[in-house]
């Protein structure tokens, strides 16, 4: 079973700064099935990135995903107020979805 | 696509948690899979299981002995039953649609279910 470890657990940033979030897998992944979500307080998560690097229609281009194998990254350029939230990576394998533990992006 | 969870929000230990998801602005018989995730307070998301309108199901192995997911195409709904609940099953339960490449592209608003006597 794949395990996803996200780091850092909490990232403190300022408006306009760049944030880099990591998702590390316990084994090499098929990038096609790696996704990222943002969850604002009290809301359901929202899909940002699929296939490791493909931005969902309507998601601002300040969000980008990259990576392969066991190391994946979500980059947020120019943090905006709505970006202070929880972020989760997710993988699908053998009919099971697995989520990482999450990274909280908070205002410095 | 809109999804809405319904069902009791308080369940006693050892009893069965039952939730229904009503789907609107889409037919549950389209070529998508539907399912359930949950999120205990302050924790990450956990996959529960998946159902296809033809009845095919997949479950998280860690919950499979207690979970049943079923579909009612005539009502455009699908349901979750989780047996023998304990306090550890207290969570917000989300009904979802799985899009291409097994991402969750649509979510219900979530139903917070508390297990307590």
């Amino acid at each position: 079973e794949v395990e996803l470890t996200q780091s850092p657990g909490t990232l403190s940033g300022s408006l306009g700064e760049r944030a880099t979030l990591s998702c590390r897998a316990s084994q090499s992944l098929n990038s096609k099935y790696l996704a990222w979500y943002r969850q604002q307080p009290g809301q359901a998560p929202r899909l940002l990135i699929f296939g490791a690097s493909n931005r969902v229609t309507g998601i601002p281009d300040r969000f980008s995903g990259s990576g392969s194998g066991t190391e994946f990254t979500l980059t947020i350029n120019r943090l905006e107020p709505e970006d202070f939230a929880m972020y989760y990576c997710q993988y699908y394998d053998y009919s099971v979805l697995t989520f990482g533990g999450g990274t909280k992006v908070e205002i410095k | 696509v809109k999804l809405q969870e319904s069902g009791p929000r308080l369940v006693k230990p050892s009893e069965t948690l039952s939730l229904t998801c009503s789907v609107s602005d889409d037919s549950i018989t389209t070529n998508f899979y539907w399912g359930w995730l949950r999120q205990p307070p302050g924790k990450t998301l956990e996959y529960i299981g998946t159902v296809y309108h033809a009845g095919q199901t997949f479950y998280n192995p860690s919950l499979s002995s207690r979970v049943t997911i079923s579909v009612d195409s005539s009502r455009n709904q699908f349901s979750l039953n989780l047996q023998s609940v304990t306090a550890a099953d207290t969570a917000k339960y989300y009904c979802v649609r799985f899009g291409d490449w097994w991402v969750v592209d649509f979510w219900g608003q979530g139903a917070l279910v508390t297990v307590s006597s």
Side-chain angles (χ1 to χ4, degrees), chain A residues 15-28:
Chain A
L15 289 170
E17 282 188 348
R18 172 183 292 181
T20 302
L21 288 65
S22 172
C23 178
R24 177 173 293 176
S26 58
Q27 62 192 72
S28 185

Side-chain angles (χ1 to χ4, degrees), chain A:
Chain A
E1 181 179 330
V2 172
E3 292 183 5
L4 300 176
T5 302
Q6 292 187 241
S7 62
T10 302
L11 187 157
S12 297
S14 301
L15 289 170
E17 282 188 348
R18 172 183 292 181
T20 302
L21 288 65
S22 172
C23 178
R24 177 173 293 176
S26 58
Q27 62 192 72
S28 185
L29 305 183
N30 182 340
S31 300
K32 185 176 174 180
Y33 297 109
L34 193 285
W36 290 92
Y37 301 81
R38 178 179 70 184
Q39 185 177 31
Q40 293 170 315
Q43 296 186 20
R46 180 179 181 181
L47 179 65
L48 302 173
I49 300 287
F50 64 95
S53 60
N54 301 285
R55 203 167 39 250
V56 171
T57 301
I59 297 301
D61 61 6
R62 65 178 185 275
F63 290 93
S64 63
S66 63
S68 63
T70 60
E71 301 280 347
F72 295 87
T73 300
L74 175 70
T75 301
I76 312 170
N77 287 308
R78 304 179 309 277
L79 283 168
E80 298 201 5
E82 61 268 29
D83 299 334
F84 295 98
M86 287 294 298
Y87 292 82
Y88 296 99
C89 57
Q90 173 244 308
Y91 186 69
Y92 167 81
D93 188 28
Y94 290 105
S95 305
V96 176
L97 271 71
T98 301
F99 289 86
T103 290
K104 180 179 181 180
V105 177
E106 64 176 20
I107 299 177
K108 186 185 293 182

